[in-house]
Amino acid sequence: MAFTDDIPWDQPATMIDLEGRAPIIGTIRDCALHYGLYKPHARDNARVLLTKPIHREGRATRTWLLDPSEIAELADRLARETN
């Protein structure tokens, strides 16, 4: 798992999908918000490309790409912070 709590909401990011749909270019907050609206199949194919890499647990190098489970963490964090 990446350390998603360290990512600021206003950091630029791009959400892509492995099926080739149009990307969402915006902020981490935009990506987390849209991820929450996706159907389960689309969630499995979503990835977020970061503009600043973050540390991933168990790895010596940083990552530029967030997996679906990490995007779900961001969506959960957004829900907690807005409710």
Side-chain angles (χ1 to χ4, degrees), residues 25-81:
I25 301 170
T27 63
I28 285 290
R29 186 182 190 287
D30 297 333
C31 294
L33 183 65
H34 280 87
Y35 183 83
L37 301 173
Y38 283 0
K39 293 180 181 178
H41 175 72
R43 287 181 182 189
D44 292 342
N45 289 308
R47 302 294 186 272
V48 171
L49 180 61
L50 302 170
T51 54
K52 182 180 174 191
I54 62 169
H55 292 282
R56 182 170 276 165
E57 194 173 321
R59 291 186 60 185
T61 59
R62 297 180 298 166
T63 184
W64 293 88
L65 195 65
L66 296 181
D67 294 326
S69 61
E70 296 159 339
I71 305 168
E73 286 179 14
L74 288 170
D76 292 343
R77 180 178 138 206
L78 180 62
R80 282 192 317 269
E81 292 179 9

